[in-house]
Amino acid sequence: MQRTMLQSKLHRVRTTHSELDYEGSCAIDEALLDAADIKEYQQIDIYNVNNGERFTTYAIRAERNSGVISVNGAAARKASPGDLLIIASYAVYSEAELATFKPKLVYVDAQNRIKDQRQHIPVQAA
C-alpha cells in the first residue's frame, strides 16, 4: 500500500506580492524552499488563512533571504499582499518508508524569516 502524506509545509507565510500578469506559479524565498525541501516547479497546495481559498500551483524560486512569497497568474486573484498562507507539499510513501517518515514543518516570523522547524504537530487538546 502507498499513502499520500504531508511532505512539508510553510506555516503562515505572509503574501508579499500578487502578480496577475506574471507567469502562473508561486515564487518562494529560496531559503524557505530549501528548509521545506520543496523543489522548483514542484506542485504545491496553498491554503489562504484570510479568505479560505485553497488552490494548487507550482513553486518557483524567489531571491534567497528576500522573504518573498508571490502568488502569480490566475492564482493572484486568490491571495492579496498581507494574506497569511499555508503552503503544503505532499509525497507518496510506501508502508516501509512510513517507518521513518517525518514531515518538514517550517514556521516563520512576520517577515517570512524562519523562526522554528519541527517534524511533528502537537496533539490537539480537547
Side-chain angles (χ1 to χ4, degrees):
M1 176 191 298
Q2 294 188 320
R3 297 179 192 260
T4 302
M5 306 291 289
L6 178 68
Q7 174 193 338
S8 63
K9 78 170 177 173
L10 298 169
H11 191 73
R12 296 177 68 95
V13 292
R14 191 169 304 276
T15 308
T16 59
H17 301 78
S18 184
E19 303 284 344
L20 184 62
D21 293 323
Y22 194 85
E23 189 171 345
S25 57
C26 181
I28 301 170
D29 178 325
E30 190 171 15
L32 295 175
L33 289 176
D34 288 348
D37 192 25
I38 297 172
K39 304 298 183 206
E40 190 168 25
Y41 306 112
Q42 182 176 344
Q43 179 177 309
I44 54 175
D45 287 337
I46 298 178
Y47 314 123
N48 189 322
V49 175
N50 291 76
N51 63 23
E53 290 281 359
R54 299 168 73 91
F55 54 98
T56 300
T57 187
Y58 60 93
I60 61 172
R61 261 182 314 114
E63 183 179 343
R64 182 175 292 279
N65 299 318
S66 64
V68 167
I69 300 291
S70 182
V71 180
N72 301 321
R77 298 201 183 275
K78 298 181 176 285
S80 299
D83 283 359
L84 293 176
L85 307 176
I86 297 168
I87 299 176
S89 69
Y90 296 88
V92 177
Y93 298 89
S94 69
E95 290 295 321
E97 290 171 314
L98 288 175
T100 59
F101 165 76
K102 290 184 172 39
K104 294 181 185 226
L105 311 174
V106 181
Y107 300 84
V108 300
D109 64 16
Q111 287 75 45
N112 293 332
R113 305 286 192 259
I114 298 169
K115 68 176 184 179
D116 193 18
Q117 295 180 312
R118 296 185 222 150
Q119 295 182 325
H120 71 280
I121 298 171
V123 174
Q124 185 171 341

